[in-house]
């Protein structure tokens, strides 16, 4: 398999989707791994674009059938990455992006370590994270508290990631994320050695 995986983790509300949506619009060859989730759809989200929104029963069936590369319970809901489309994209030489939590990152590392580049994205501080979650207006006070508590635990794992980004100035953060993707494209492991050397000699 010639492709690669970019894992993006970080507290909910830190700006991962905002940055990734822009990246995916501009870099059309990237492939976003659409997760399945049991959480309710938010205003502005689209089925089959942001997530596949499924019931808990369907999710559990998916687990039994071995359909997930990884799955985890986050903020009382289930989230999982489908194995089949990821394998197809990797076989196709694509860079596949996972927006997943720390638990999912650990499982993915066990199975696909040599394919993975990872980045942890967060805010300047917890107060800013709370402000963003409140401004986003998609979660009630209890859910926000739950997400903030979870964020504190996730921050302890920063050093396990290849890259670390504080998403303060959005333009600066976007440039940072884009640089990581560009560096991935330059990885020597990503080239077909025979083809590269032969065509270099022939010209
Ligand atoms: P995540 O995908 O990590 O849960 P979102 O992308 O939904 O986070 O962003 C959470 C909120 O923060 C959104 O309302 C978004 O518009 C806002 N946001 C994202 N990045 C920034 C930034 N650099 N500065 C201020 N607000 C931001
Ligand atoms: P949200 O509900 O805000 O969209 O996502 C909540 C958290 O679940 C985020 O940390 C996000 O990265 C994580 N997440 C989304 N999809 C998956 C997935 O397929 N697997 C795992 N392990 N986490 C996911």
């Amino acid at each position: 398999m010639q492709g690669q995986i970019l894992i993006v983790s970080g507290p909910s509300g830190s700006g991962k989707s905002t940055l990734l949506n822009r990246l995916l619009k501009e870099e059309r060859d990237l492939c976003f791994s659409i997760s399945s989730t049991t959480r309710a759809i938010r205003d502005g989200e689209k089925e089959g674009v942001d997530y596949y929104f499924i019931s808990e029963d369907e999710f559990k069936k998916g687990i039994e059938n071995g359909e997930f590369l990884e799955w985890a319970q986050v903020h009382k809901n289930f989230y999982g990455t489908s194995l089949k489309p990821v394998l197809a994209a990797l076989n196709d030489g694509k860079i596949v992006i996972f927006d997943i939590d720390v638990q999912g990152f650990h499982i993915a590392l066990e199975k696909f370590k040599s394919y993975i580049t990872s980045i942890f994205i967060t805010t300047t501080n917890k107060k800013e994270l709370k402000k963003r979650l409140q401004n986003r207006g998609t979660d009630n006070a209890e859910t926000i508290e739950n997400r903030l508590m979870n964020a504190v635990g996730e921050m302890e794992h920063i050093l396990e990631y290849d890259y670390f980004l504080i998403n303060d100035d959005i333009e600066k953060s976007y440039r940072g994320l884009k640089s990581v993707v560009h560096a991935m494209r330059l990885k020597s492991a990503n080239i077909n050695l025979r083809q590269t050397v032969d065509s270099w000699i022939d010209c």
Side-chain angles (χ1 to χ4, degrees):
M1 292 193 293
Q2 287 282 316
Q4 298 183 67
I5 295 170
L6 174 62
I7 295 191
V8 181
S9 299
S12 178
S14 58
K16 302 180 299 297
S17 312
T18 306
L19 290 164
L20 287 177
N21 287 341
R22 181 164 163 194
L23 184 73
L24 289 157
K25 251 188 219 146
E26 284 186 21
E27 311 262 329
R28 306 300 291 198
D29 59 326
L30 298 175
C31 173
F32 181 64
S33 162
I34 304 164
S35 297
S36 297
T37 182
T38 59
R39 93 149 153 70
I41 189 164
R42 289 178 189 144
D43 276 354
E45 285 184 329
K46 287 197 186 97
E47 161 69 23
V49 176
D50 300 285
Y51 283 107
Y52 296 111
F53 296 92
I54 64 175
S55 69
E56 209 165 301
D57 278 352
E58 284 176 286
F59 198 97
K60 286 181 177 159
K61 250 183 228 147
I63 297 173
E64 274 169 30
N65 296 335
E67 288 169 16
F68 295 119
L69 182 158
E70 63 73 36
W71 64 271
Q73 196 171 1
V74 192
H75 315 131
K76 299 181 184 160
N77 291 303
F78 290 97
Y79 295 82
T81 304
S82 297
L83 180 61
K84 250 194 199 167
V86 171
L87 289 180
L90 290 177
N91 273 321
D92 213 19
K94 301 264 191 211
I95 292 179
V96 193
I97 300 182
F98 294 6
D99 174 346
I100 62 175
D101 82 325
V102 171
Q103 306 170 74
F105 168 57
H106 289 156
I107 300 167
L109 266 187
E110 278 170 25
K111 298 183 179 172
F112 287 91
K113 193 174 190 338
S114 63
Y115 293 88
I116 294 174
T117 299
S118 57
I119 181 165
F120 191 97
I121 299 180
T122 188
T123 47
T124 317
N125 52 47
K126 191 174 156 204
K127 203 166 149 196
E128 173 65 20
L129 184 67
K130 186 170 183 178
K131 198 170 98 193
R132 284 191 197 170
L133 285 170
Q134 285 169 337
N135 288 346
R136 189 169 70 183
T138 53
D139 303 296
N140 62 30
E142 188 195 336
T143 310
I144 289 179
E145 279 316 310
N146 201 277
R147 285 174 186 266
L148 287 171
M149 233 164 58
N150 206 54
V152 173
E154 294 224 304
M155 292 289 292
E156 296 291 336
H157 295 272
I158 289 170
L159 294 184
E160 296 162 19
Y161 287 75
D162 297 316
Y163 298 98
F164 174 57
L165 183 63
I166 294 180
N167 177 23
D168 182 9
D169 177 315
I170 190 86
E171 291 305 321
K172 205 167 141 206
S173 303
Y174 182 64
R175 283 198 299 277
L177 179 62
K178 218 159 130 171
S179 307
V180 170
V181 171
H182 288 181
M184 286 175 77
R185 293 193 208 281
L186 299 179
K187 276 194 179 172
S188 58
N190 203 31
I191 63 159
N192 180 325
L193 179 67
R194 209 54 280 136
Q195 202 178 36
T196 306
V197 175
D198 290 347
S199 77
W200 187 87
I201 293 167
D202 283 347
C203 294

